[in-house]
Amino acid sequence: MGPAGIPVEPVEAVFREEHGRLLALLAARFGDLDLAEEVAAEALLAAVETWPRSGTPREPLAWLATTARRKALDRIRRDATLATKLAVLHADADPARRAEPVTEHEHIPDDRLQLLFACCHPALDLDAQTGLTLRYLAGLSTAEIAQAFLVPPATMAQRLTRGKRKIQQSRIPFRVPGPDELAGRLSLVLHVVYLIFTEGYAATGHQDLLRCDLVDEAIRLTRILHRLMPGEARVTGLLALLLLTDARRPARVDSRGMAVSLEDQDRSLWDTSMIEEGARLTTQALSQHPPSSWSVQAAIAAVHDEAPSALQTDWRQVRLLYDELFALTPTPVVALNRAIAISWHEGPQAGLARLEALADQPSLTRQHHWHAARGHALARLSRHAAAAEAYRRASELAQTPAEIAYLSARAARYAAPG
């Protein structure tokens, strides 16, 4: 409840939806994330006090933007130091245009793309890029971001402060990079968004396997990118991949809280509307040029999602797609997934040989996925004792109760006599 018992839920709903656009607009106008965040909060407080009595404005974002910009201009007039700093940061800007408030009938530009590129600038480290993106584009609180990445709130607050300070001191611009920079900069942005998604879809060290808030925010950010850059194959491919992967969410954990492998999932629970949208976007991404690793990953996910069962999956097609993906991004993780596809396509003996060839990759052997894949191949070869040991080692390395329970059950199953 707000002042005098006034309900604030409608105001908060609008603010949550428009938070990223409002901050992006203010940051682009004033070049200061702290100022943008402070006056946005003041505008929200003003809305809490005003809207329940006068009614929600027809254009809530315009109302919030006008209120926040007026408060920002008032602060600048009172603070000569801040005014001087802004003059340096925006020496090439038109002060008259920046001083004009937004009217409720004015078209408000969507500056979120500029803000996203600023938060993911290569001058910042990956922790700062991810934290700032979640804070300013996704609207998560410092405490929520800290929980997602398993650090104390004070530590995350320090990271965010350092990131904001770096943006100011390095005069990182709030703009979309020019053609010469765009390819490399966009790759970094997409990597950060994908990290947010994977942290939500397979949460590391979290009680739950799924962090649905992070998954949803990653998809929302990618939709924003796709809306603002519809002809970019990498963006289209990433959105397709996230949708096709998240479509399986309802079947990933059973009623006991145990993780369910792709092979054993009840595919009738998968979200068919997400699969249809993801498949359509995959086709679109593959038709755009140049081809991207995101598009190929989306195509792999589409083959899985459109198959009635694991056995009826077109494993030859999956394997060929992994060959193409490995040519684009020859990483250990892609090599691992390619070996799993070979195990299904050519048989467990061929797959096991490929897996064993990766045993010298510490980035894989320190994770549970490689050991679990070995366990699966060994079990199919009826080498049950070795399979049990592989699954036992995988369970030791897994980080969520749902995965530990699944892998421990597999280890017990193959360790049992007979």
Side-chain angles (χ1 to χ4, degrees), residues 2 155 243 262 293 365-366:
T155 300
L243 292 173
L262 180 62
S293 62
T365 56
R366 287 198 295 261

Side-chain angles (χ1 to χ4, degrees), residues 320-338:
L320 290 173
L321 286 167
Y322 269 118
D323 288 346
E324 184 176 350
L325 182 60
F326 190 76
L328 291 170
T329 53
T331 66
V333 172
V334 175
L336 170 61
N337 287 313
R338 182 168 172 262

Side-chain angles (χ1 to χ4, degrees), residues 282-297:
T282 299
T283 301
Q284 180 183 333
L286 291 172
S287 69
Q288 295 171 326
H289 295 285
S292 77
S293 62
W294 300 115
S295 305
V296 178
Q297 290 180 75

Side-chain angles (χ1 to χ4, degrees), residues 1 20 29 40 76 109 127 130 133 135 148 156 178 192 218 222 236 260 264 278 319 337 355-356 408:
M1 299 293 285
R29 290 297 175 95
I76 291 171
D127 286 340
T130 307
T133 299
R135 181 73 192 96
M156 182 53 65
V192 169
T222 312
T236 307
V260 182
D264 296 327
R319 189 265 170 86
N337 287 313
L355 289 166
E356 299 289 2
S408 298

